[in-house]
Amino acid sequence: KQEVTQIPAALSVPEGENLVLNCSFTDSAIYNLQWFRQDPGKGLTSLLLIQSSQREQTSGRLNASLDKSSGRSTLYIAASQPGDSATYLCAVSPEFPTSGTYKYIFGTGTRLKVLA
Amino acid sequence: DAGVTQSPTHLIKTRGQQVTLRCSPKSGHDTVSWYQQALGQGPQFIFQYYEEEERQRGNFPDRFSGHQFPNYSSELNVNALLLGDSALYLCASRPGQGAGEQFFGPGTRLTVL
């Protein structure tokens, strides 16, 4: 059974710091991995999608890497800003879907607070 | 493009009641999935609809049921509500049955008293 873990559960940093959020998964047979941002009480905003054949994806100040064989992904945020404060979730899709359908298995998230 | 939309935004019910939540997928998307997110937890997969049929179900009781309409919109129904059903319910859509990117709606916050 696939399990997704995110460490740390919470993180507080001063503005301007570069930071790394970690996501690990127990079954390396994944099709893709997606990072999301969630503001309090809101829905999920997609940040980056990494296919299993890719090593990393970049968007602005965000860079996500994937090491499928070791079951790990990291989200790197450069020059953090107070507006980056949110919960960051990672989710994986299994490589071999059940009934031909792909679902996401989520971690519990990392709550980030960037202090001005 | 309005993206994925959900209604209502918030809902308060009492134990034992029934509730219906609605989702309109992003334009061009025909696969809809529902997730339940309890406070402080990651979303949990409830079920997925494609071509008006339930294609896969997560570990949720039969009190949770759904429907997909010919225009691809979807409903989530929960019967005999329990306090533990209080959560944010998220709808996600994607085109087809592949493993492409899913797009999520803003969610419906359900509170059961």
Side-chain angles (χ1 to χ4, degrees), chain B residues 66-113:
Chain B
H67 188 78
Q68 186 178 36
F69 299 93
N71 66 353
Y72 310 126
S73 66
S74 177
E75 289 182 348
L76 164 65
N77 301 292
V78 187
N79 295 321
L81 285 167
L82 304 173
L83 295 179
D85 294 332
S86 295
L88 181 67
Y89 288 85
L90 296 163
C91 171
S93 73
R94 63 151 59 106
Q97 283 278 275
E101 184 177 4
Q102 289 197 65
F103 293 81
F104 281 78
T108 293
R109 170 70 64 186
L110 172 64
T111 301
V112 182
L113 302 177

mmCIF file of all heavy atoms in Angstrom, chain B residues 66-113:
data_model
loop_
_atom_site.group_PDB
_atom_site.id
_atom_site.type_symbol
_atom_site.label_atom_id
_atom_site.label_comp_id
_atom_site.label_asym_id
_atom_site.label_seq_id
_atom_site.Cartn_x
_atom_site.Cartn_y
_atom_site.Cartn_z
ATOM 1 N N GLY B 66 -22.369 8.810 -5.541
ATOM 2 C CA GLY B 66 -22.186 9.907 -6.471
ATOM 3 C C GLY B 66 -22.923 9.695 -7.765
ATOM 4 O O GLY B 66 -23.589 8.661 -7.980
ATOM 5 N N HIS B 67 -22.769 10.688 -8.594
ATOM 6 C CA HIS B 67 -23.411 10.620 -9.901
ATOM 7 C C HIS B 67 -22.660 11.552 -10.843
ATOM 8 O O HIS B 67 -22.148 12.594 -10.416
ATOM 9 C CB HIS B 67 -24.871 11.066 -9.790
ATOM 10 C CG HIS B 67 -25.662 10.853 -11.037
ATOM 11 N ND1 HIS B 67 -26.157 9.621 -11.405
ATOM 12 C CD2 HIS B 67 -26.040 11.728 -12.003
ATOM 13 C CE1 HIS B 67 -26.803 9.750 -12.551
ATOM 14 N NE2 HIS B 67 -26.759 11.004 -12.937
ATOM 15 N N GLN B 68 -22.610 11.160 -12.109
ATOM 16 C CA GLN B 68 -22.065 12.055 -13.123
ATOM 17 C C GLN B 68 -23.102 12.216 -14.218
ATOM 18 O O GLN B 68 -23.719 11.239 -14.655
ATOM 19 C CB GLN B 68 -20.763 11.525 -13.725
ATOM 20 C CG GLN B 68 -20.118 12.528 -14.691
ATOM 21 C CD GLN B 68 -18.799 12.043 -15.267
ATOM 22 O OE1 GLN B 68 -18.626 10.857 -15.528
ATOM 23 N NE2 GLN B 68 -17.875 12.971 -15.480
ATOM 24 N N PHE B 69 -23.289 13.427 -14.648
ATOM 25 C CA PHE B 69 -24.297 13.757 -15.649
ATOM 26 C C PHE B 69 -23.685 13.798 -17.049
ATOM 27 O O PHE B 69 -22.470 13.875 -17.192
ATOM 28 C CB PHE B 69 -24.946 15.102 -15.288
ATOM 29 C CG PHE B 69 -25.631 15.084 -13.959
ATOM 30 C CD1 PHE B 69 -24.962 15.473 -12.805
ATOM 31 C CD2 PHE B 69 -26.942 14.643 -13.840
ATOM 32 C CE1 PHE B 69 -25.589 15.442 -11.573
ATOM 33 C CE2 PHE B 69 -27.573 14.603 -12.615
ATOM 34 C CZ PHE B 69 -26.896 15.002 -11.480
ATOM 35 N N PRO B 70 -24.547 13.776 -18.079
ATOM 36 C CA PRO B 70 -24.013 13.793 -19.455
ATOM 37 C C PRO B 70 -23.117 14.997 -19.751
ATOM 38 O O PRO B 70 -22.266 14.924 -20.647
ATOM 39 C CB PRO B 70 -25.272 13.811 -20.316
ATOM 40 C CG PRO B 70 -26.295 13.117 -19.481
ATOM 41 C CD PRO B 70 -25.998 13.544 -18.059
ATOM 42 N N ASN B 71 -23.298 16.105 -19.038
ATOM 43 C CA ASN B 71 -22.431 17.276 -19.277
ATOM 44 C C ASN B 71 -21.158 17.204 -18.434
ATOM 45 O O ASN B 71 -20.420 18.181 -18.356
ATOM 46 C CB ASN B 71 -23.191 18.571 -18.979
ATOM 47 C CG ASN B 71 -23.540 18.727 -17.506
ATOM 48 O OD1 ASN B 71 -23.334 17.815 -16.709
ATOM 49 N ND2 ASN B 71 -24.064 19.880 -17.151
ATOM 50 N N TYR B 72 -20.894 16.050 -17.827
ATOM 51 C CA TYR B 72 -19.698 15.733 -17.038
ATOM 52 C C TYR B 72 -19.719 16.302 -15.620
ATOM 53 O O TYR B 72 -18.815 15.970 -14.840
ATOM 54 C CB TYR B 72 -18.406 16.176 -17.736
ATOM 55 C CG TYR B 72 -18.304 15.716 -19.167
ATOM 56 C CD1 TYR B 72 -18.064 16.620 -20.198
ATOM 57 C CD2 TYR B 72 -18.465 14.378 -19.490
ATOM 58 C CE1 TYR B 72 -17.987 16.199 -21.511
ATOM 59 C CE2 TYR B 72 -18.395 13.948 -20.810
ATOM 60 C CZ TYR B 72 -18.156 14.870 -21.819
ATOM 61 O OH TYR B 72 -18.081 14.449 -23.128
ATOM 62 N N SER B 73 -20.695 17.134 -15.282
ATOM 63 C CA SER B 73 -20.768 17.602 -13.908
ATOM 64 C C SER B 73 -21.080 16.425 -12.996
ATOM 65 O O SER B 73 -21.515 15.355 -13.455
ATOM 66 C CB SER B 73 -21.821 18.699 -13.765
ATOM 67 O OG SER B 73 -23.119 18.182 -14.001
ATOM 68 N N SER B 74 -20.857 16.621 -11.705
ATOM 69 C CA SER B 74 -20.979 15.490 -10.784
ATOM 70 C C SER B 74 -21.572 15.940 -9.464
ATOM 71 O O SER B 74 -21.505 17.122 -9.094
ATOM 72 C CB SER B 74 -19.599 14.877 -10.553
ATOM 73 O OG SER B 74 -19.644 13.824 -9.609
ATOM 74 N N GLU B 75 -22.192 15.004 -8.775
ATOM 75 C CA GLU B 75 -22.701 15.212 -7.433
ATOM 76 C C GLU B 75 -22.113 14.183 -6.490
ATOM 77 O O GLU B 75 -21.876 13.023 -6.881
ATOM 78 C CB GLU B 75 -24.234 15.088 -7.398
ATOM 79 C CG GLU B 75 -24.971 16.209 -8.049
ATOM 80 C CD GLU B 75 -26.487 16.044 -7.941
ATOM 81 O OE1 GLU B 75 -26.936 14.946 -7.564
ATOM 82 O OE2 GLU B 75 -27.195 17.002 -8.261
ATOM 83 N N LEU B 76 -21.895 14.612 -5.255
ATOM 84 C CA LEU B 76 -21.517 13.709 -4.179
ATOM 85 C C LEU B 76 -22.629 13.745 -3.156
ATOM 86 O O LEU B 76 -23.022 14.835 -2.702
ATOM 87 C CB LEU B 76 -20.195 14.168 -3.541
ATOM 88 C CG LEU B 76 -19.829 13.579 -2.178
ATOM 89 C CD1 LEU B 76 -19.600 12.075 -2.296
ATOM 90 C CD2 LEU B 76 -18.586 14.259 -1.611
ATOM 91 N N ASN B 77 -23.169 12.596 -2.811
ATOM 92 C CA ASN B 77 -24.229 12.491 -1.817
ATOM 93 C C ASN B 77 -23.701 11.737 -0.604
ATOM 94 O O ASN B 77 -23.014 10.719 -0.744
ATOM 95 C CB ASN B 77 -25.430 11.728 -2.388
ATOM 96 C CG ASN B 77 -26.002 12.397 -3.617
ATOM 97 O OD1 ASN B 77 -26.573 13.474 -3.540
ATOM 98 N ND2 ASN B 77 -25.827 11.768 -4.769
ATOM 99 N N VAL B 78 -24.035 12.265 0.564
ATOM 100 C CA VAL B 78 -23.685 11.565 1.797
ATOM 101 C C VAL B 78 -24.957 11.426 2.624
ATOM 102 O O VAL B 78 -25.623 12.430 2.926
ATOM 103 C CB VAL B 78 -22.619 12.312 2.620
ATOM 104 C CG1 VAL B 78 -22.181 11.456 3.801
ATOM 105 C CG2 VAL B 78 -21.420 12.669 1.748
ATOM 106 N N ASN B 79 -25.306 10.188 2.963
ATOM 107 C CA ASN B 79 -26.490 9.906 3.776
ATOM 108 C C ASN B 79 -26.115 9.675 5.227
ATOM 109 O O ASN B 79 -24.955 9.368 5.539
ATOM 110 C CB ASN B 79 -27.200 8.657 3.239
ATOM 111 C CG ASN B 79 -27.759 8.866 1.854
ATOM 112 O OD1 ASN B 79 -28.272 9.932 1.538
ATOM 113 N ND2 ASN B 79 -27.645 7.841 1.016
ATOM 114 N N ALA B 80 -27.112 9.823 6.110
ATOM 115 C CA ALA B 80 -26.941 9.514 7.540
ATOM 116 C C ALA B 80 -25.649 10.130 8.070
ATOM 117 O O ALA B 80 -24.758 9.433 8.569
ATOM 118 C CB ALA B 80 -26.946 8.002 7.737
ATOM 119 N N LEU B 81 -25.556 11.432 7.955
ATOM 120 C CA LEU B 81 -24.329 12.138 8.313
ATOM 121 C C LEU B 81 -23.882 11.859 9.745
ATOM 122 O O LEU B 81 -24.705 11.788 10.676
ATOM 123 C CB LEU B 81 -24.526 13.638 8.123
ATOM 124 C CG LEU B 81 -24.525 14.144 6.680
ATOM 125 C CD1 LEU B 81 -25.041 15.571 6.611
ATOM 126 C CD2 LEU B 81 -23.134 14.031 6.081
ATOM 127 N N LEU B 82 -22.560 11.729 9.892
ATOM 128 C CA LEU B 82 -21.927 11.555 11.187
ATOM 129 C C LEU B 82 -21.054 12.767 11.472
ATOM 130 O O LEU B 82 -20.635 13.475 10.544
ATOM 131 C CB LEU B 82 -21.054 10.289 11.184
ATOM 132 C CG LEU B 82 -21.726 8.978 10.818
ATOM 133 C CD1 LEU B 82 -20.701 7.868 10.707
ATOM 134 C CD2 LEU B 82 -22.800 8.621 11.832
ATOM 135 N N LEU B 83 -20.738 12.969 12.756
ATOM 136 C CA LEU B 83 -19.866 14.089 13.102
ATOM 137 C C LEU B 83 -18.546 14.001 12.342
ATOM 138 O O LEU B 83 -17.987 15.020 11.921
ATOM 139 C CB LEU B 83 -19.603 14.107 14.607
ATOM 140 C CG LEU B 83 -20.807 14.370 15.517
ATOM 141 C CD1 LEU B 83 -20.382 14.324 16.974
ATOM 142 C CD2 LEU B 83 -21.474 15.693 15.183
ATOM 143 N N GLY B 84 -18.060 12.787 12.146
ATOM 144 C CA GLY B 84 -16.781 12.555 11.479
ATOM 145 C C GLY B 84 -16.788 12.868 10.000
ATOM 146 O O GLY B 84 -15.733 12.847 9.367
ATOM 147 N N ASP B 85 -17.962 13.162 9.451
ATOM 148 C CA ASP B 85 -18.024 13.538 8.030
ATOM 149 C C ASP B 85 -17.684 15.007 7.832
ATOM 150 O O ASP B 85 -17.571 15.467 6.682
ATOM 151 C CB ASP B 85 -19.423 13.264 7.469
ATOM 152 C CG ASP B 85 -19.761 11.777 7.449
ATOM 153 O OD1 ASP B 85 -18.836 10.948 7.350
ATOM 154 O OD2 ASP B 85 -20.967 11.450 7.548
ATOM 155 N N SER B 86 -17.536 15.739 8.915
ATOM 156 C CA SER B 86 -17.150 17.149 8.815
ATOM 157 C C SER B 86 -15.772 17.239 8.174
ATOM 158 O O SER B 86 -14.805 16.647 8.663
ATOM 159 C CB SER B 86 -17.109 17.791 10.195
ATOM 160 O OG SER B 86 -18.395 17.826 10.778
ATOM 161 N N ALA B 87 -15.683 17.970 7.072
ATOM 162 C CA ALA B 87 -14.435 18.025 6.307
ATOM 163 C C ALA B 87 -14.590 19.002 5.160
ATOM 164 O O ALA B 87 -15.686 19.514 4.905
ATOM 165 C CB ALA B 87 -14.076 16.645 5.761
ATOM 166 N N LEU B 88 -13.480 19.222 4.459
ATOM 167 C CA LEU B 88 -13.503 19.944 3.197
ATOM 168 C C LEU B 88 -13.597 18.905 2.085
ATOM 169 O O LEU B 88 -12.775 17.982 2.020
ATOM 170 C CB LEU B 88 -12.226 20.774 3.036
ATOM 171 C CG LEU B 88 -12.099 21.620 1.767
ATOM 172 C CD1 LEU B 88 -13.122 22.749 1.767
ATOM 173 C CD2 LEU B 88 -10.674 22.186 1.649
ATOM 174 N N TYR B 89 -14.584 19.021 1.234
ATOM 175 C CA TYR B 89 -14.769 18.077 0.136
ATOM 176 C C TYR B 89 -14.299 18.731 -1.155
ATOM 177 O O TYR B 89 -14.807 19.777 -1.564
ATOM 178 C CB TYR B 89 -16.229 17.632 0.050
ATOM 179 C CG TYR B 89 -16.582 16.712 1.192
ATOM 180 C CD1 TYR B 89 -16.982 17.232 2.422
ATOM 181 C CD2 TYR B 89 -16.466 15.328 1.058
ATOM 182 C CE1 TYR B 89 -17.254 16.395 3.490
ATOM 183 C CE2 TYR B 89 -16.741 14.486 2.122
ATOM 184 C CZ TYR B 89 -17.134 15.033 3.328
ATOM 185 O OH TYR B 89 -17.396 14.196 4.389
ATOM 186 N N LEU B 90 -13.331 18.087 -1.778
ATOM 187 C CA LEU B 90 -12.695 18.630 -2.964
ATOM 188 C C LEU B 90 -13.065 17.820 -4.190
ATOM 189 O O LEU B 90 -13.111 16.592 -4.151
ATOM 190 C CB LEU B 90 -11.177 18.613 -2.798
ATOM 191 C CG LEU B 90 -10.618 19.498 -1.674
ATOM 192 C CD1 LEU B 90 -9.194 19.088 -1.346
ATOM 193 C CD2 LEU B 90 -10.669 20.958 -2.082
ATOM 194 N N CYS B 91 -13.298 18.516 -5.262
ATOM 195 C CA CYS B 91 -13.566 17.899 -6.555
ATOM 196 C C CYS B 91 -12.374 18.180 -7.467
ATOM 197 O O CYS B 91 -11.816 19.289 -7.432
ATOM 198 C CB CYS B 91 -14.845 18.491 -7.136
ATOM 199 S SG CYS B 91 -15.195 18.039 -8.839
ATOM 200 N N ALA B 92 -11.983 17.199 -8.255
ATOM 201 C CA ALA B 92 -10.877 17.370 -9.193
ATOM 202 C C ALA B 92 -11.299 16.857 -10.556
ATOM 203 O O ALA B 92 -12.075 15.899 -10.650
ATOM 204 C CB ALA B 92 -9.641 16.620 -8.707
ATOM 205 N N SER B 93 -10.793 17.466 -11.605
ATOM 206 C CA SER B 93 -11.122 16.992 -12.948
ATOM 207 C C SER B 93 -9.868 16.876 -13.797
ATOM 208 O O SER B 93 -8.839 17.501 -13.509
ATOM 209 C CB SER B 93 -12.143 17.913 -13.627
ATOM 210 O OG SER B 93 -11.550 19.152 -14.013
ATOM 211 N N ARG B 94 -9.970 16.050 -14.799
ATOM 212 C CA ARG B 94 -8.901 15.881 -15.787
ATOM 213 C C ARG B 94 -9.535 15.398 -17.075
ATOM 214 O O ARG B 94 -10.653 14.873 -17.056
ATOM 215 C CB ARG B 94 -7.847 14.902 -15.311
ATOM 216 C CG ARG B 94 -8.320 13.491 -15.085
ATOM 217 C CD ARG B 94 -7.215 12.470 -15.296
ATOM 218 N NE ARG B 94 -6.083 12.668 -14.422
ATOM 219 C CZ ARG B 94 -5.802 11.896 -13.377
ATOM 220 N NH1 ARG B 94 -6.580 10.891 -13.063
ATOM 221 N NH2 ARG B 94 -4.716 12.118 -12.660
ATOM 222 N N PRO B 95 -8.816 15.543 -18.200
ATOM 223 C CA PRO B 95 -9.347 15.024 -19.455
ATOM 224 C C PRO B 95 -9.024 13.544 -19.604
ATOM 225 O O PRO B 95 -7.869 13.140 -19.451
ATOM 226 C CB PRO B 95 -8.610 15.849 -20.516
ATOM 227 C CG PRO B 95 -7.330 16.232 -19.860
ATOM 228 C CD PRO B 95 -7.612 16.361 -18.388
ATOM 229 N N GLY B 96 -10.011 12.725 -19.846
ATOM 230 C CA GLY B 96 -9.798 11.310 -20.092
ATOM 231 C C GLY B 96 -9.386 10.545 -18.852
ATOM 232 O O GLY B 96 -9.412 11.056 -17.730
ATOM 233 N N GLN B 97 -8.988 9.302 -19.087
ATOM 234 C CA GLN B 97 -8.661 8.397 -18.008
ATOM 235 C C GLN B 97 -7.166 8.272 -17.778
ATOM 236 O O GLN B 97 -6.735 7.438 -16.997
ATOM 237 C CB GLN B 97 -9.241 6.988 -18.326
ATOM 238 C CG GLN B 97 -10.729 6.920 -18.091
ATOM 239 C CD GLN B 97 -11.058 6.699 -16.634
ATOM 240 O OE1 GLN B 97 -11.094 5.587 -16.142
ATOM 241 N NE2 GLN B 97 -11.300 7.794 -15.902
ATOM 242 N N GLY B 98 -6.400 9.102 -18.431
ATOM 243 C CA GLY B 98 -4.958 9.018 -18.259
ATOM 244 C C GLY B 98 -4.506 9.575 -16.930
ATOM 245 O O GLY B 98 -5.314 9.949 -16.082
ATOM 246 N N ALA B 99 -3.201 9.646 -16.762
ATOM 247 C CA ALA B 99 -2.620 10.101 -15.495
ATOM 248 C C ALA B 99 -2.150 11.537 -15.584
ATOM 249 O O ALA B 99 -1.223 11.928 -14.901
ATOM 250 C CB ALA B 99 -1.453 9.205 -15.095
ATOM 251 N N GLY B 100 -2.789 12.338 -16.386
ATOM 252 C CA GLY B 100 -2.400 13.733 -16.518
ATOM 253 C C GLY B 100 -2.730 14.543 -15.285
ATOM 254 O O GLY B 100 -3.317 14.064 -14.327
ATOM 255 N N GLU B 101 -2.350 15.795 -15.346
ATOM 256 C CA GLU B 101 -2.543 16.702 -14.227
ATOM 257 C C GLU B 101 -4.010 16.825 -13.859
ATOM 258 O O GLU B 101 -4.883 16.941 -14.725
ATOM 259 C CB GLU B 101 -1.986 18.076 -14.599
ATOM 260 C CG GLU B 101 -2.022 19.108 -13.488
ATOM 261 C CD GLU B 101 -1.388 20.416 -13.916
ATOM 262 O OE1 GLU B 101 -0.991 20.516 -15.095
ATOM 263 O OE2 GLU B 101 -1.294 21.329 -13.085
ATOM 264 N N GLN B 102 -4.282 16.804 -12.553
ATOM 265 C CA GLN B 102 -5.635 17.034 -12.076
ATOM 266 C C GLN B 102 -5.760 18.486 -11.615
ATOM 267 O O GLN B 102 -4.837 19.046 -11.046
ATOM 268 C CB GLN B 102 -5.967 16.110 -10.903
ATOM 269 C CG GLN B 102 -6.136 14.660 -11.294
ATOM 270 C CD GLN B 102 -6.847 13.858 -10.218
ATOM 271 O OE1 GLN B 102 -8.003 14.102 -9.921
ATOM 272 N NE2 GLN B 102 -6.156 12.907 -9.649
ATOM 273 N N PHE B 103 -6.930 19.033 -11.833
ATOM 274 C CA PHE B 103 -7.214 20.402 -11.416
ATOM 275 C C PHE B 103 -8.296 20.351 -10.342
ATOM 276 O O PHE B 103 -9.331 19.703 -10.536
ATOM 277 C CB PHE B 103 -7.671 21.242 -12.609
ATOM 278 C CG PHE B 103 -6.582 21.466 -13.623
ATOM 279 C CD1 PHE B 103 -6.295 20.481 -14.563
ATOM 280 C CD2 PHE B 103 -5.859 22.633 -13.642
ATOM 281 C CE1 PHE B 103 -5.289 20.668 -15.498
ATOM 282 C CE2 PHE B 103 -4.849 22.837 -14.581
ATOM 283 C CZ PHE B 103 -4.567 21.852 -15.504
ATOM 284 N N PHE B 104 -8.051 21.053 -9.246
ATOM 285 C CA PHE B 104 -8.956 20.985 -8.111
ATOM 286 C C PHE B 104 -9.820 22.241 -8.009
ATOM 287 O O PHE B 104 -9.391 23.350 -8.349
ATOM 288 C CB PHE B 104 -8.164 20.823 -6.818
ATOM 289 C CG PHE B 104 -7.685 19.423 -6.573
ATOM 290 C CD1 PHE B 104 -6.562 18.944 -7.252
ATOM 291 C CD2 PHE B 104 -8.343 18.576 -5.705
ATOM 292 C CE1 PHE B 104 -6.117 17.640 -7.052
ATOM 293 C CE2 PHE B 104 -7.911 17.274 -5.492
ATOM 294 C CZ PHE B 104 -6.801 16.812 -6.168
ATOM 295 N N GLY B 105 -11.022 22.030 -7.495
ATOM 296 C CA GLY B 105 -11.923 23.132 -7.202
ATOM 297 C C GLY B 105 -11.638 23.716 -5.829
ATOM 298 O O GLY B 105 -10.775 23.226 -5.106
ATOM 299 N N PRO B 106 -12.383 24.756 -5.438
ATOM 300 C CA PRO B 106 -12.146 25.425 -4.160
ATOM 301 C C PRO B 106 -12.660 24.647 -2.953
ATOM 302 O O PRO B 106 -12.312 24.958 -1.815
ATOM 303 C CB PRO B 106 -12.908 26.744 -4.306
ATOM 304 C CG PRO B 106 -13.987 26.424 -5.284
ATOM 305 C CD PRO B 106 -13.405 25.436 -6.240
ATOM 306 N N GLY B 107 -13.482 23.634 -3.209
ATOM 307 C CA GLY B 107 -13.963 22.805 -2.111
ATOM 308 C C GLY B 107 -15.271 23.282 -1.511
ATOM 309 O O GLY B 107 -15.678 24.435 -1.678
ATOM 310 N N THR B 108 -15.932 22.365 -0.828
ATOM 311 C CA THR B 108 -17.122 22.652 -0.018
ATOM 312 C C THR B 108 -16.800 22.267 1.414
ATOM 313 O O THR B 108 -16.428 21.121 1.683
ATOM 314 C CB THR B 108 -18.347 21.855 -0.505
ATOM 315 O OG1 THR B 108 -18.731 22.302 -1.795
ATOM 316 C CG2 THR B 108 -19.519 22.030 0.459
ATOM 317 N N ARG B 109 -16.950 23.222 2.311
ATOM 318 C CA ARG B 109 -16.708 22.951 3.734
ATOM 319 C C ARG B 109 -18.011 22.470 4.360
ATOM 320 O O ARG B 109 -18.979 23.213 4.427
ATOM 321 C CB ARG B 109 -16.225 24.210 4.438
ATOM 322 C CG ARG B 109 -16.176 24.119 5.954
ATOM 323 C CD ARG B 109 -15.090 23.199 6.425
ATOM 324 N NE ARG B 109 -13.750 23.673 6.067
ATOM 325 C CZ ARG B 109 -12.649 22.998 6.265
ATOM 326 N NH1 ARG B 109 -12.690 21.791 6.818
ATOM 327 N NH2 ARG B 109 -11.489 23.498 5.920
ATOM 328 N N LEU B 110 -18.038 21.207 4.780
ATOM 329 C CA LEU B 110 -19.217 20.611 5.418
ATOM 330 C C LEU B 110 -18.970 20.510 6.917
ATOM 331 O O LEU B 110 -17.962 19.941 7.350
ATOM 332 C CB LEU B 110 -19.495 19.222 4.845
ATOM 333 C CG LEU B 110 -20.585 18.407 5.550
ATOM 334 C CD1 LEU B 110 -21.941 19.084 5.415
ATOM 335 C CD2 LEU B 110 -20.643 16.977 5.001
ATOM 336 N N THR B 111 -19.891 21.050 7.675
ATOM 337 C CA THR B 111 -19.846 20.940 9.140
ATOM 338 C C THR B 111 -21.072 20.167 9.584
ATOM 339 O O THR B 111 -22.202 20.525 9.234
ATOM 340 C CB THR B 111 -19.841 22.321 9.804
ATOM 341 O OG1 THR B 111 -18.697 23.053 9.342
ATOM 342 C CG2 THR B 111 -19.774 22.184 11.316
ATOM 343 N N VAL B 112 -20.862 19.105 10.344
ATOM 344 C CA VAL B 112 -21.953 18.283 10.870
ATOM 345 C C VAL B 112 -22.028 18.494 12.376
ATOM 346 O O VAL B 112 -21.040 18.271 13.095
ATOM 347 C CB VAL B 112 -21.759 16.799 10.540
ATOM 348 C CG1 VAL B 112 -22.945 15.973 11.058
ATOM 349 C CG2 VAL B 112 -21.595 16.602 9.043
ATOM 350 N N LEU B 113 -23.195 18.961 12.843
ATOM 351 C CA LEU B 113 -23.358 19.246 14.279
ATOM 352 C C LEU B 113 -24.135 18.149 14.979
ATOM 353 O O LEU B 113 -24.959 17.466 14.334
ATOM 354 C CB LEU B 113 -24.070 20.594 14.444
ATOM 355 C CG LEU B 113 -23.370 21.806 13.789
ATOM 356 C CD1 LEU B 113 -24.231 23.044 13.963
ATOM 357 C CD2 LEU B 113 -21.986 22.005 14.383
#
